[in-house]
Structure formats: C-alpha cells, structure tokens
Amino acid sequence: MRIIAFALLLASAACAAQRRALPVNSTSVSHYGKIAFQSSSNGSVTRATFNNPPINLVDAFVVSDLFDFLHSLQPAPNKTTPKVVVFDSANPDWFLGHYDLHNIELPFTTTKSDIFNQVIDCTRYILNTTSTAFIAEINGRTIGLGQELSIQMDMRFAGPHALASSFENSIGLTAAAGGQPFLGPVIGKARAMEYLLAAKAFDGPTGERLGLFNTYYDTTEQLQSEVSALAERIALFPQHSLNDTKVTLSLLNPTIASLNDQLARFIPLMDLPEDQATVAKFIEVSGNQTNSLFELDIPESSVQAVRNGVYL
Ligand SMILES: *[C@@H]1O[C@H](CO)[C@@H](O)[C@H](O)[C@H]1NC(C)=O
Ligand SMILES: *[C@@H]1O[C@H](CO)[C@@H](O)[C@H](O)[C@H]1NC(C)=O
Ligand SMILES: *[C@@H]1O[C@H](CO)[C@@H](O)[C@H](O)[C@H]1NC(C)=O
Ligand SMILES: *[C@@H]1O[C@H](CO)[C@@H](O)[C@H](O)[C@H]1NC(C)=O
Ligand SMILES: *[C@@H]1O[C@H](CO)[C@@H](O)[C@H](O)[C@H]1NC(C)=O
Ligand SMILES: *[C@@H]1O[C@H](CO)[C@@H](O)[C@H](O)[C@H]1NC(C)=O
C-alpha cells in the first residue's frame, strides 16, 4: 500500500517538476523542486526558499521536500550542518499557504495519513533540531499550516507584505500541528484566544507589537538585509553554544504530550460530516485552492463565507 502510494506521488511529481521553473539561482534544489537552497559562510547559513506556485499550497510535494531537508539537518558524528537556516519564499504574495485540504477529505487513505504524519514529523524536526537556528523571513501570506510551521521556528521577521493567520476555526476545524499550543506562549493566552477564536490575521506591524514577529521592516530590502546580517552574526559563534541555548529555551515550548493530545482532539473534528461538507465547499469557492480572490483574502473571505451561509 505504501509502495503504491509512493509510486503515485513520484509520477505526479515528475509532471509538476517539468511545469515549474525556479526563479532563484540556487546551488541545489529539493527532490520535487519545491525548495531551493543557497549557502553562505561556507555552509554555516542556508537560505531555503519555498516555491510552489501559485499559492505555496502545502501539498504532498512541499511536505516531502521539507521533510527531506529537515531530516538532513539531524546531527551525526563528523557531519557539518548549517548553524542557521533562513526560510523565505520565491512568491511575493505567499510565504506558505494552507494545507492541501484534499488531504483531509474522507476517505482518509493510507496516502493521506502518510502525508499527515510527515507534516507532524516536520514540526517535530523543527522543534528537536537543536544544533540549527530556524528563522522565518515572512513577506507574504502565511496561512493555516503555513502559520503553524512558521510559529514553531525560532524567530520570525516580517516585511511589508506579511500576513499571518490561523483561519481554521472559520471552517469548523482548529489550528492543529502546533498552531494553537504555540500561539498562547508566543503572544499570551487572551490574545491567542482572540486571534484563534475569531480567525483574525496579523499584519506585520500588529504581529510585531504582539510579539509574533521579532521585528517588522517597512521594505523588502531591509527585511532581507537585516535577516541575512543576523544569520551571519549568529554563524560566527560555535555550534555547541547555539545548541545549548536552543536546548535551554526549548523548555518554554509546549510539551510533546500536549501537542499529541491536541492532534488527537483534531482528528474527530476533521471527521464530522458538517466539517467535511465545509471543506468540500471551501475547495470549490477557492477555485480548487488556486490563485483566486478567495485565497488571497483569507481569513476575511472565509469569515464572509460563514456570514453568507456559503459553507452550509
Ligand atoms: C548562478 O550563479 C552562479 C555562481 O554565482 C553562476 O556561475 C551561474 O551562471 C548562475 N546561473 C544562472 C542561471 O544565473
Ligand atoms: C570559507 O572557507 C575558505 C577556505 O577554507 C576560507 O578561505 C574563507 O575565509 C571561509 N569564509 C568564511 C566566511 O568563513
Ligand atoms: C570522526 O572523525 C574522527 C577524526 O577524523 C575519526 O577519528 C572518527 O572515527 C570519525 N567518526 C565517525 C563516526 O566517522
Ligand atoms: C526528532 O523528530 C523526528 C521526527 O519525528 C524523529 O524521527 C527523531 O527521532 C526526533 N529526534 C530527537 C532527537 O528527538
Ligand atoms: C545538544 O545538547 C544536547 C543536551 O546537552 C545534547 O544531548 C546534544 O548531543 C547536543 N547536540 C549537538 C549537536 O551538540
Ligand atoms: C484540483 O486540483 C488538484 C491539484 O491540487 C487536481 O488534482 C484536481 O484534478 C483539481 N480538481 C478539479 C476539479 O479541477
């Protein structure tokens, strides 16, 4: 079953790779071409650039490429890993989109469950890789699963086009994969309640004020140069110091047990008939999760869809 699923994944990925040219001059590219890499400081700093047009949907291919990359950062004897990874995007409108909701439509096949588990593994790698600092350089939308991945990184910096939102409550779900458990510690319980329960979005200045973003920069150039300068500065110092700081501050993370508990509560919500109907309608009104006005206007478009009874 797993072998068949993997073969299918490979076949459709080959088509996808042919269609999509990467705009960045990269030193290397991930298996499905969804992430391009550039290194500096002799490999101490890596820029990992997401690129999955048109909306950087977090689909099976993005998940697989992210998993492979994060897996490659695991420390091993005599292995050199980057001290800093900066995630950015080749898409001016999107840092990372939401999860490919086809993958939570029933029936929940082995393939879909494998992709889901790989998402969870990605988040676990972000949390347990203590020898590399992860920085999200956000200058576009980071929505749903995109926001859940961003919020688990060590630092987030925002540019003029940044917009972050966990909009899942508006479709009868919740921000799984860490989105809810991390927002509380990052911005405080009452504000996390406001932004999660009401499916609100943070723009750059608001996110900075509330502590979601370390710093907001008015221009794209300033964002990129300041983040690069920070990464290069961190990379001057020994990796064992970095590792110890990450191990220490990881104590502030929600426990793995609490993250697992939240996931266990998410699955039954996903299975509710009314939420399955909402997801199907969402896929329809978003133009099949493509570059539609609906996608560009999440979370407001999704809130409006609830008001107008579109999801019923
Ligand atoms: C990419 O960069 C390398 C090294 O800087 C250069 O030699 C090469 O010509 C560039 N490739 C493209 C397609 O711009
Ligand atoms: C990179 O390595 C080369 C050769 O070992 C060395 O000359 C250079 O100074 C290094 N650069 C940095 C930024 O560490
Ligand atoms: C790591 O490198 C050292 C020094 O070159 C060598 O003695 C040791 O066997 C290597 N360890 C592994 C696991 O390769
Ligand atoms: C980190 O997470 C990955 C993915 O879940 C897991 O395979 C690995 O064993 C974990 N490593 C540590 C050191 O906890
Ligand atoms: C990071 O620190 C932890 C805790 O001391 C240790 O177990 C681990 O081996 C260290 N990792 C690296 C890559 O130094
Ligand atoms: C919707 O998009 C997916 C790819 O994300 C594609 O496989 C599927 O055929 C599309 N469905 C329709 C009805 O266009």
Side-chain angles (χ1 to χ4, degrees), residues 57 100 102 283 288-289:
L57 187 71
D100 180 355
H102 289 296
I283 290 172
N288 196 16
Q289 309 181 114

Side-chain angles (χ1 to χ4, degrees), residues 171-281:
I171 55 171
L173 299 173
T174 56
Q180 298 197 108
F182 274 83
L183 195 62
V186 169
I187 67 168
K189 179 182 163 190
R191 279 168 171 152
M193 289 281 187
E194 177 188 347
Y195 280 80
L196 290 169
L197 294 177
K200 287 177 63 171
F202 304 84
D203 61 15
T206 308
E208 181 195 56
R209 183 168 55 82
L210 300 184
L212 178 64
F213 302 132
N214 288 39
T215 309
Y216 163 72
Y217 294 104
D218 283 329
T219 70
T220 302
E221 295 67 32
Q222 212 187 353
L223 169 70
Q224 289 170 345
S225 69
E226 294 292 339
V227 168
S228 292
L230 177 70
E232 300 290 336
R233 179 170 169 139
I234 292 170
L236 293 171
F237 311 138
Q239 202 147 20
H240 56 245
S241 305
L242 187 162
N243 183 64
D244 185 67
T245 299
K246 276 202 71 168
V247 168
T248 305
L249 290 183
S250 293
L251 295 174
L252 296 175
N253 288 345
T255 62
I256 297 296
S258 74
L259 297 172
N260 286 341
D261 282 351
Q262 201 270 323
L263 272 180
R265 291 194 306 273
F266 175 79
I267 309 287
L269 298 184
M270 192 177 92
D271 290 346
L272 289 173
E274 62 265 42
D275 289 347
Q276 282 289 318
T278 298
V279 164
K281 198 72 193 171

